[in-house]
Amino acid sequence: MSTWTSVSKLSIILVSGDETCDIYANGRNRIGVMISIAPTDGDGDPVEVDSAHLLDRLWLIDYVTESTLDWNGTSGWCYTDTTNAFTATPGLSGERAEASFDDDGTQLVTFYVYCAPGASPKSIGVQVKTDSDHIIKSSLNGTHRAKVRLNPRKALTYTLADVAWDYSRTSTKYGEDTKYVTTNAWNYYLSLRSPDNYFVTFSVSNYFSGSGYDGFFACNITPDNHHKNFYGGYVWYHEPHGSAYYFDSDGRSEAQVVNFPDGNKWWDYAKIYNRDNPDQYLCFTWVHSTTGGNGWHLPNGPLDTWREWFAPEIHAYDRYGNWGAFWVDGGDIVGGLNLYELNQ
């Protein structure tokens, strides 16, 4: 078997096909770069190199200084072999870098570059070490001269002015049944107010997570009219959003609300994630339910007082890894759900 000693081709280009692009300097935005390499033996004949072995023999370097970028690092310029939710190149999310072959037998390897805040523009080349320990570089003073250039943009931090927080009436499964309980519900939608960008993932904390109460974060059973009025707030945080709550039986996404199995023996289900592109927004539901008789029965599940609440905190990330932090006031829900900025 021939020994890999050199290369007849070594080049690098962005996965998009370009030689330069912007990148958000937030440590999360990743840009795919593709290396083309044609290994050869001592006679200059092509040699096929195992994919995993080839990955171990390649490094991304500074095109000018030839210093190596930090593998899976946390500062400066770094690179890795996996995508994430904030990989800018369309269609590559979730894929792992691997060596493959171009039509002419050239082997292709994809890495993903990212940078921390404060990074300066960077021209990037590639270095390879053959099985004969021959080091070959595509750099300013190397044997090859291919490079890509990445230009950092300042990371964005979103505020209330950047997001949409709107609501609309939604249906519930038993909302029309007014014999014992009347339920009215509204969905609130947190999304990015942008024509060409959107949120792709949300991190949410502070809510009940027990069975039958998952996502429930606040209630106020008002003392007027003998505690017959229930106001409740819910956050539907499971991802991917629409499919996480989808029921084949009735062809819709729904979640349990107004769960009072003890005494009142009543529960309902609200239709949620009922707009286009459900993965691009976070859905909340606000409910006002009125019961007859002697009012609502306590305790029920986590409820043992007339007024209980959490204040959910939400970290919302756009497709490039830029983010904003917000919270919803669970202590003030009688008139609806109110969104605020979280101090960052």
Side-chain angles (χ1 to χ4, degrees):
M1 182 176 180
S2 298
T3 300
W4 174 27
T5 63
S6 189
V7 299
S8 61
K9 176 182 180 181
L10 182 63
S11 65
I12 183 172
I13 196 169
L14 298 175
V15 168
S16 64
D18 301 316
E19 296 180 356
T20 184
C21 73
D22 291 348
I23 181 174
Y24 279 100
N26 56 28
R28 290 176 291 271
N29 185 202
R30 296 183 183 180
I31 303 295
V33 298
M34 182 178 291
I35 299 166
S36 299
I37 180 171
T40 60
D41 61 16
D43 296 325
D45 295 325
V47 175
E48 182 179 336
V49 180
D50 176 76
S51 297
H53 183 60
L54 184 59
L55 284 170
D56 289 339
R57 309 291 283 190
L58 288 170
W59 294 267
L60 295 184
I61 61 174
D62 184 296
Y63 181 77
V64 178
T65 68
E66 298 184 347
S67 61
T68 304
L69 274 62
D70 196 359
W71 175 257
N72 286 328
T74 57
S75 62
W77 284 94
C78 312
Y79 71 112
T80 185
D81 61 351
T82 57
T83 63
N84 63 5
F86 317 116
T87 302
T89 305
L92 294 179
S93 181
E95 294 184 1
R96 185 174 179 83
E98 61 181 3
S100 57
F101 292 91
D102 205 349
D103 291 340
D104 62 357
T106 300
Q107 293 184 245
L108 306 176
V109 177
T110 303
F111 288 126
Y112 300 91
V113 179
Y114 57 99
C115 65
S120 300
K122 177 73 70 175
S123 291
I124 298 172
V126 60
Q127 173 181 302
V128 60
K129 186 177 183 180
T130 71
D131 285 342
S132 63
D133 291 333
H134 183 200
I135 295 176
I136 305 166
K137 299 176 182 179
S138 176
S139 63
L140 181 62
N141 297 311
T143 307
H144 302 266
R145 297 293 179 87
K147 65 179 178 180
V148 295
R149 180 178 174 84
L150 300 183
N151 303 305
R153 291 185 180 184
K154 184 178 180 180
L156 301 177
T157 301
Y158 294 116
T159 67
L160 282 177
D162 302 309
V163 301
W165 177 249
D166 54 350
Y167 61 91
S168 62
R169 190 75 172 262
T170 190
S171 61
T172 61
K173 192 170 184 178
Y174 306 118
E176 300 302 320
D177 183 356
T178 58
K179 183 177 181 180
Y180 300 108
V181 176
T182 300
T183 299
N184 295 290
W186 288 259
N187 282 339
Y188 283 70
Y189 311 92
L190 173 62
S191 60
L192 184 59
R193 195 189 302 273
S194 173
D196 56 3
N197 196 5
Y198 45 85
F199 289 136
V200 296
T201 190
F202 301 84
S203 174
V204 186
S205 60
N206 299 336
Y207 48 78
F208 291 106
S209 58
S211 177
Y213 301 89
D214 193 24
F216 176 48
F217 67 85
C219 80
N220 191 340
I221 303 175
T222 56
D224 55 293
N225 200 21
H226 306 290
H227 293 292
K228 292 183 177 181
N229 289 294
F230 166 84
Y231 299 91
Y234 305 80
V235 55
W236 310 119
Y237 61 93
H238 288 290
E239 296 188 353
H241 292 160
S243 58
Y245 299 94
Y246 187 79
F247 288 80
D248 289 326
S249 58
D250 56 13
R252 68 177 186 176
S253 296
E254 63 183 23
Q256 191 169 26
V257 296
V258 199
N259 189 13
F260 283 82
D262 299 326
N264 298 98
K265 300 186 185 301
W266 181 262
W267 48 90
D268 208 341
Y269 299 85
K271 186 176 182 181
I272 62 173
Y273 287 107
N274 52 351
R275 292 186 171 184
D276 293 337
N277 304 310
D279 290 342
Q280 297 179 15
Y281 65 89
L282 182 65
C283 182
F284 296 71
T285 301
W286 179 68
V287 174
H288 174 208
S289 293
T290 303
T291 187
N294 296 319
W296 294 101
H297 178 81
L298 293 180
N300 261 285
L303 297 181
D304 53 19
T305 61
W306 300 115
R307 184 167 177 255
E308 298 185 30
W309 74 92
F310 288 109
E313 296 183 4
I314 307 102
H315 289 185
Y317 297 86
D318 74 4
R319 58 194 299 228
Y320 305 108
N322 298 308
W323 69 300
F326 310 94
W327 65 285
V328 176
D329 187 1
D332 179 22
I333 64 166
V334 170
L337 301 181
N338 299 305
L339 182 74
Y340 301 93
E341 286 179 32
L342 184 66
N343 293 331
Q344 302 173 44

